Amino acid sequence: MKQAKTNKIFIGGILALGMLAGCSKDIDQRSLPAFEPTATEANGGNWKTILLAGPADIIIPAPEAAGSAAYQAELTSIATRQQSITDTDKRIIEKWKSSGIIRWNEIARQLVATYNIPPEANPDGTYPAPNPNNPGAYPKFPFANPPYASRAYAYLHVAMYDALVTTWKYKFTHNRMSPAAQGTGIKALEPIQEGLPSYPSEDAVVAQVGYRLLKVMFPNDTTWLQEQSNEQKMAKQLSGVASPSDIAAGELIANQVAEKVLARYRTDGMGQAAGNPNLWDELKQDAMARGLTLPWESMETPKRPMMLAMFGNVKQFLITTAQRDSLRPEPPPAIGSPEFNEALAEVKRYSNNPSGEVWRIAQLWSDGAATYTPPGHWNEIACNSIVKNKFNELRTARTLALMNMAVFDAGISCWDAKAYYFYPRPSQADPSIKTIGLPNFPSYTSGHSTFSGAASTVLGYIFPDEKAEFERMSLEAAESRIYGAIHYRFDSEAGTRCGNAIGSFAVKKGMADGSN
């Protein structure tokens, strides 16, 4: 956990105090690769939004003219501040000089890893559940398991995308350039994209959306998140990228969008995703009524309820409930059938020989407790390609929104299949099988495979030159679960197909959003 500390934050000429608490300091110490975007996307304000009807949903005032006394006073305050810049200021500028969206994606991944810890059992053999109304009590809220993480990444990046489409609309409506471009002696202390207006500030939008969304998802870290947001806004003023009124306009957009996105977030059904003992038993009985002879059960001691048994009913972004049902994979092989026995024997072979390249791949994609989960793994992959291709913030936002919507929807469909079929893990069917880990939910279909199929399909569309590599990674991720003796081959193959299908819905949405 972070030790408390204070930093001075400069926003619009106001000093504020921030205190770090909750996470490790990795975000503060690691620099992102520097890159300069290659396009301004002057038409970006006309791209189709996701949850907003369009930029007209959001209202901000017109900026002061560049020659006005009010704006000139803002420029003077920045020039004066630059004359006494400190080493701490330089560190903060360096930290935020590249993509703010990628930095916030990294912050989200760090938070997920911090909270991706299953609660320990109570003395009576029951398990406590995190309480959002008392998030600091044990077990701390949230338990950021893969479904929770996929939802967090999706909502964060949908909000950023809708807010930035709105920002681009206003940028090219008002065309007020950065303070460093005004010829008043303000230095550009970081690269400033030529031709991109600074009102409203895209950095303020990203910083405020990141803070507003993540503080709801990770309430124990609200103060630290506020500090990250303040730092980013301060850095852009100190470096000559944005003025206080640019920042204020960005905050105004972000706050309005955040309210609309959080309204959906709070009513999408996640509150009922844990289920209850009656529902858990009903799932088991329904699967047995359809012919299942060995229903899944927890292999933990004491037995733990299925993780988020009703997550399959959470509202999806890209597909309807009817489409979810039509995409539900075909039934898995009957327990004891030749196909089942062959798949189980394959898992047993890998369990008996955990070495070499097979074991390396199983560990590479394990993404278990205290990691940022399989959805986070794919976010890291996506961010690496974004940097390599020099995307600006708007196109970065679009990439991560499309991919994370697909990953989230894929997770919902996967959990629907898990709950519907209630199929046992290989190590339940054969207790002699040793695994790299044992997720506490049914086997069919594979979450890793479904998440990966969705992510690779979207990224292959956005980065066509890398499509083959994304497909290779997706198949490797699917294989890794067989190598780790966690899944049967048919779990992984069905999951990959389902993920690919859901990813295609995101591709279709991207092809129609006006960005091409």
Side-chain angles (χ1 to χ4, degrees), residues 404-475:
N404 281 299
M405 283 192 295
V407 169
F408 173 54
D409 281 17
I412 292 171
S413 286
C414 178
W415 253 250
D416 167 72
K418 287 179 181 295
Y420 185 82
Y421 292 113
F422 226 70
Y423 204 74
R425 295 270 176 182
S427 56
Q428 180 183 340
D430 181 352
S432 70
I433 289 175
K434 301 296 188 293
T435 74
I436 197 172
L438 191 59
N440 199 66
F441 37 82
S443 190
Y444 188 80
T445 57
S446 160
H448 271 61
S449 305
T450 312
F451 288 133
S452 298
S456 65
T457 297
V458 177
L459 293 179
Y461 153 66
I462 294 171
F463 305 106
D465 292 345
E466 301 171 58
K467 182 178 180 180
E469 178 61 10
F470 295 132
E471 290 175 349
R472 183 199 67 78
M473 287 190 284
S474 173
L475 293 175

Side-chain angles (χ1 to χ4, degrees), residues 43 103 117 125 178 185 204 220 287 416-417 428 499:
N43 191 48
R103 178 66 74 188
I117 305 292
S178 69
N220 290 305
D416 167 72
Q428 180 183 340

Side-chain angles (χ1 to χ4, degrees), residues 372-402:
Y372 43 60
T373 74
H377 196 149
W378 279 99
N379 272 272
E380 182 178 36
I381 290 167
C383 288
N384 290 338
S385 288
I386 287 166
V387 171
K388 183 168 65 175
N389 288 274
K390 299 183 178 181
F391 277 13
N392 65 15
E393 290 292 75
L394 181 58
R395 202 160 282 277
T396 295
R398 173 180 177 266
T399 298
L400 293 174
L402 288 173

Side-chain angles (χ1 to χ4, degrees), residues 120-121 125 127 298-304 440:
E120 297 290 334
Y127 285 90
S298 173
M299 302 300 288
E300 296 192 40
T301 305
K303 293 186 182 299
R304 190 189 297 266
N440 199 66

Side-chain angles (χ1 to χ4, degrees), residues 42-217:
N43 191 48
N46 295 324
W47 294 4
K48 290 183 180 178
T49 47
I50 296 168
L51 295 183
L52 298 183
D57 278 4
I58 307 300
I59 304 298
I60 64 169
E64 296 282 352
S68 69
Y71 186 65
Q72 289 300 310
E74 292 185 50
L75 299 183
T76 298
S77 72
I78 295 171
T80 301
R81 185 69 176 82
Q82 283 190 343
Q83 292 173 9
S84 58
I85 198 165
T86 67
D87 288 342
T88 298
D89 295 333
K90 292 176 183 177
R91 177 190 65 78
I92 293 171
I93 290 171
E94 177 68 22
K95 172 181 169 180
W96 291 102
K97 74 177 183 181
S98 296
S99 170
I101 295 176
I102 292 179
R103 178 66 74 188
W104 280 96
N105 183 278
E106 189 180 47
I107 288 170
R109 283 185 270 138
Q110 178 176 321
L111 288 166
V112 166
T114 299
Y115 289 93
N116 181 18
I117 305 292
E120 297 290 334
N122 293 318
D124 64 358
T126 62
Y127 285 90
N131 182 356
N133 296 317
N134 189 14
Y138 184 83
K140 288 188 175 181
F141 179 84
F143 170 23
N145 48 50
Y148 187 93
S150 71
R151 178 172 174 258
Y153 298 134
Y155 275 96
L156 174 66
H157 290 292
V158 165
M160 285 187 174
Y161 171 76
D162 275 9
L164 284 180
V165 170
T166 304
T167 300
W168 251 249
K169 186 69 172 181
Y170 282 115
K171 276 181 178 292
F172 288 93
T173 296
H174 298 301
N175 281 297
R176 193 176 77 180
M177 296 299 171
S178 69
Q182 300 294 337
T184 58
I186 295 172
K187 299 176 183 177
L189 300 183
E190 64 172 278
I192 297 178
Q193 189 173 2
E194 184 177 354
L196 183 66
S198 68
Y199 182 92
S201 164
E202 69 273 23
D203 291 282
V205 169
V206 168
Q208 191 70 6
V209 166
Y211 165 66
R212 288 291 307 276
L213 269 290
L214 291 178
K215 77 170 184 175
V216 173
M217 299 166 181

